[in-house]
Amino acid sequence: QVQLVESGGGLVQPGESLRLSCAASGSIGSIKTMGWYRQAPGKERELVASITSDGITNYADSVKGRFTVSRDNAKDTVYLQMNSLKPEDTAVYFCNADIRRLYSSIFINSWGQGTQVTVSS
């Protein structure tokens, strides 16, 4: 079984920074795109940032210039560095990845359990 486990959420003031981490564990063969989504109360889940296995990144317009997504392929881990946080960044942040298990040829889209990020003074 493959799991995605996030860490690094918390409560910060506007303008501060946080770094989220998400590690994949289990019988992993390979991972294609990894990314972060978020869901605020009463809103739909939205893509924040993603990164391919080759390092190609994609960002939501609302976080460009403030957030940076990166990954360590050797550790099957993706990171989200969030700077200049705003109250509107408050949400549950979910890790997402396309994972192929060992001995399988199929990639399955997987989700972490989510981590709360609250930006408030």
Side-chain angles (χ1 to χ4, degrees):
Q1 187 174 357
V2 174
Q3 281 189 315
L4 293 172
V5 179
E6 302 107 333
S7 61
L11 170 64
V12 297
Q13 294 188 348
E16 294 186 339
S17 299
L18 273 177
R19 189 192 194 208
L20 305 182
S21 300
C22 171
S25 62
S27 301
I28 297 171
S30 60
I31 305 177
K32 290 198 295 188
T33 300
M34 302 185 81
W36 294 92
Y37 287 72
R38 67 186 180 187
Q39 188 167 19
K43 294 188 177 181
E44 293 187 354
R45 192 173 296 189
E46 63 175 359
L47 174 69
V48 176
S50 65
I51 182 168
T52 68
S53 56
D54 295 331
I56 298 171
T57 58
N58 182 43
Y59 295 93
D61 288 342
S62 59
V63 306
K64 284 180 180 177
R66 300 188 297 123
F67 291 11
T68 302
V69 62
S70 60
R71 63 190 282 176
D72 184 333
N73 290 329
K75 296 181 178 179
D76 294 328
T77 299
V78 62
Y79 306 95
L80 185 68
Q81 177 67 42
M82 305 185 292
N83 298 329
S84 302
L85 282 161
K86 304 175 181 180
E88 50 263 44
D89 294 318
T90 296
V92 178
Y93 284 69
F94 297 90
C95 177
N96 178 269
D98 295 317
I99 301 174
R100 180 183 63 80
R101 294 181 62 183
L102 279 174
Y103 313 118
S104 173
S105 60
I106 301 172
F107 283 86
I108 297 175
N109 189 256
S110 302
W111 292 91
Q113 80 286 355
T115 185
Q116 177 70 45
V117 171
T118 302
V119 185
S120 175
S121 55

